[in-house]
Amino acid sequence: MPAPADDTFSPEIFKFAEKLAEDPRSKVFVPLAEEYVKVGMLQEAIDVLEQGLKVYPTFITALVALGRVYRQKGVVTKAKAALEGAVKLSPENLVAHRTLARIYLEEGALESAMRSCSVVLTANRKDEEILALKATIEQQLGLNAASPSHVTANAAASAKASSPAHDATSKKVARLREWLANIQQKRVS
């Protein structure tokens, strides 16, 4: 299929699409999806990624790419599902954790956002973007004393859980909040 004289599509789209047509089991579907994203063809990117994942359901790069495209399209539930699937297969996947941290923060799942930030910061302690995101999370964790109602509600729900794992988590969260409050006080002083 020769590329049309239209500047809307990059030559890479045609090159990757031809390779995929020749070999439907090719992993070229990921770079094809990336090219679709570059020209704003998000639905086409999603379609090709979903088709490829039917053949390679544990292809982590494809899961992460799908999650990022879904997020870009505003389909947060599916974005989170794809990214969490990637993290289950590869717990140290920094791109998935970076994107999940933003999603979790937007949803108000601050403890989950903090966990994803921690994974990224374990690999790169100086990651400025994640450090800024972490600071935002810390501020919202009440460490924003003026408005801790959502944090208090989350802590109360955790405290009601009867399992020892939930109790341990609640204690860790309380210690984290106390530690972060101390840091915040030192910054003010």
Side-chain angles (χ1 to χ4, degrees), residues 103-181:
I103 290 171
Y104 291 143
L105 176 61
E106 292 164 3
E107 291 182 336
L110 303 179
E111 289 84 5
S112 296
M114 187 66 82
R115 279 192 300 276
S116 284
C117 285
S118 295
V119 172
V120 175
L121 291 171
T122 297
N124 180 5
R125 296 180 320 163
K126 296 181 180 182
D127 186 311
E128 292 180 18
E129 181 183 346
I130 293 298
L131 286 170
L133 192 63
K134 183 180 175 203
T136 300
I137 295 164
E138 289 170 348
Q139 183 180 24
Q140 289 186 22
L141 266 173
L143 314 169
N144 178 358
S147 153
S149 60
H150 68 283
V151 174
T152 307
N154 288 343
S158 293
K160 288 180 185 176
S162 59
S163 76
H166 280 97
D167 292 339
T169 301
S170 295
K171 289 176 184 176
K172 287 179 184 177
V173 169
R175 285 195 308 265
L176 174 64
R177 287 188 182 123
E178 182 180 332
W179 176 74
L180 292 171

Side-chain angles (χ1 to χ4, degrees), residues 37-88:
V37 170
K38 287 179 186 176
V39 296
M41 298 173 66
L42 301 182
Q43 189 57 53
E44 289 78 0
I46 288 168
D47 293 344
V48 77
L49 286 165
E50 287 180 338
Q51 286 301 313
L53 283 164
K54 287 178 183 175
V55 177
Y56 300 103
T58 60
F59 189 9
I60 296 163
T61 303
L63 284 167
V64 173
L66 181 61
R68 294 178 75 184
V69 177
Y70 269 131
R71 181 171 187 262
Q72 213 174 334
K73 192 163 181 187
V75 186
V76 178
T77 304
K78 288 186 176 185
K80 193 166 68 168
L83 293 163
E84 287 173 342
V87 167
K88 283 180 185 169

